[in-house]
Amino acid sequence: METAPGTGTMPPDVLLAIAMTAVADGVVVFDAAERIALVNPRVAALFRFDPDRVMVGMDMASFLSIVGTAVGWSAARIATVVDNHRRWQARQDSVDIDHHFDDGTILHINFAPLPGHCAVITYRDVTVERRLTDVVAAQAAQAERFRKEIATVVTETDAAAAEGQAMGRAGEAELELIVRDLGDVVVAAQQSTAAMQDAAQTSAMMAGMIDTVVDQVGHTSSAASGAMAHAHETVALSQGLSDRAGSIGSILDIIRAVARQTGLVALNAAIEAARSGEAGRGFAVVAAEVKTLATQTSDAVAQIEPQISAMQIATRDVVAAESRDRARHRRYPGPRGHRDRHGT
């Protein structure tokens, strides 16, 4: 077609060729017979092959074979791609796919049906767009992970605070137990002191009774004529001394039990003090002192017990000796006055 004189316009086919060259996307138009009706040089540039290899009138299978060979497809894959394009053209389907090159380039391919079973295929380089999309998605994912991590940290912080409060309440409860145990220790110590005082008083009474018995025995030895008069009193005193010695043994048993109880309370107080950490350090000192008191009490009982046993043995010997003397006097009462055979 020639240019109209004086109009300055160009033929439509020339304008179309210029426009197709200026288009940034690769464009291929196929007619109903699957032959190229229009193609721009951008297609060859995108797929990196010589533009002279593709021309108008080439069939779709040959064009796709050139493209497939350029991108490294196998013959089987090229055949599959040809079948897909024929099916899309027959069904008049509109298809969008991305093709990824080994060097990282990404081409977006759009197959659009045209009236009369024709079709147009456009190829567009979307490498930058897809990478930007990936970067945005990665940043969004990172932001979401950060949000979740912050939420996790906040949750763990709240849990730690709650645990700290619970531990504080548990510590207060343990301190209350320690104070209660220390109260038991004080009561046990008071009981031990009272028992020791009773033992001391009983020992003093036994000493006095022993002195009385000694005096009575000495008096009996120096005045044989009054021995029988004082024998009953001596036996009574000796028996009382034996009873007192027995009560001393019972008191010693009480003192031993109190010492054991005090030791156990001190051990419990020491354990609770250790579990309370810094808050229980003062109680640990008190528990150690109470344990020392229990040990000293047990030692004192161990020292007193042999002496009490000796006193008990001595009192039993005195009672037994007095009993034997009384029995002997009953069998051999001695002279009670002289009578003649007349009874005068």
Side-chain angles (χ1 to χ4, degrees), residues 7-275:
T7 61
T9 59
M10 291 183 291
D13 56 345
V14 176
L15 292 176
L16 180 60
I18 294 173
M20 288 290 288
T21 303
V23 172
D25 295 343
V27 179
V28 181
V29 178
F30 292 96
D31 58 17
E34 297 182 355
R35 294 188 176 276
I36 296 177
L38 186 65
V39 61
N40 69 342
R42 183 62 177 163
V43 175
L46 290 175
F47 285 100
R48 304 182 182 100
F49 59 80
D50 186 357
D52 295 337
R53 298 182 62 186
V54 177
M55 60 193 69
V56 175
M58 179 180 286
D59 64 276
M60 184 173 62
S62 298
F63 167 76
L64 293 176
S65 177
I66 293 173
V67 170
T69 301
V71 299
W73 292 344
S74 64
R77 185 173 181 183
I78 292 174
T80 301
V81 171
V82 172
D83 290 340
N84 290 337
H85 281 70
R86 286 173 174 171
R87 185 172 62 255
W88 298 337
Q89 187 172 5
R91 295 178 181 178
Q92 295 289 282
D93 293 334
S94 179
V95 179
D96 287 281
I97 59 174
D98 281 351
H99 174 72
H100 296 260
F101 287 86
D102 293 338
D103 62 358
T105 303
I106 303 174
L107 288 184
H108 178 74
I109 303 173
N110 174 257
F111 182 92
L114 295 175
H117 288 280
C118 298
V120 58
I121 304 176
T122 57
Y123 303 95
R124 183 162 55 93
D125 189 345
V126 294
T127 304
V128 176
E129 295 178 17
R130 296 294 186 265
R131 289 178 179 176
L132 288 176
T133 302
D134 293 341
V135 169
V136 171
Q139 290 178 346
Q142 185 177 4
E144 180 64 17
R145 287 195 301 270
F146 180 75
R147 186 192 64 79
K148 290 181 179 180
E149 290 175 357
I150 291 297
T152 301
V153 170
V154 172
T155 302
E156 292 177 352
T157 302
D158 292 341
E163 184 178 358
Q165 293 177 355
M167 291 179 63
R169 290 192 294 268
E172 292 177 358
E174 291 178 353
L175 289 178
E176 291 178 358
L177 291 175
I178 292 174
V179 172
R180 187 184 64 188
D181 290 340
L182 288 178
D184 295 339
V185 170
V186 172
V187 172
Q190 291 175 349
Q191 293 177 351
S192 177
T193 302
M196 293 291 289
Q197 290 176 351
D198 291 341
Q201 293 176 359
T202 305
S203 298
M205 293 178 63
M206 289 182 64
M209 294 178 68
I210 289 173
D211 291 339
T212 303
V213 171
V214 171
D215 292 340
Q216 291 293 335
V217 172
H219 184 68
T220 302
S221 300
S222 60
S225 58
M228 291 303 296
H230 297 286
H232 294 288
E233 183 178 357
T234 300
V235 171
L237 290 174
S238 299
Q239 188 62 45
L241 183 61
S242 178
D243 294 339
R244 287 291 180 177
S247 64
I248 284 290
S250 300
I251 292 173
L252 290 178
D253 292 337
I254 294 174
I255 293 174
R256 276 192 294 269
V258 171
R260 285 194 298 271
Q261 181 183 359
T262 303
L264 290 176
V265 172
L267 177 60
N268 291 333
I271 293 173
E272 295 296 334
R275 291 176 59 187

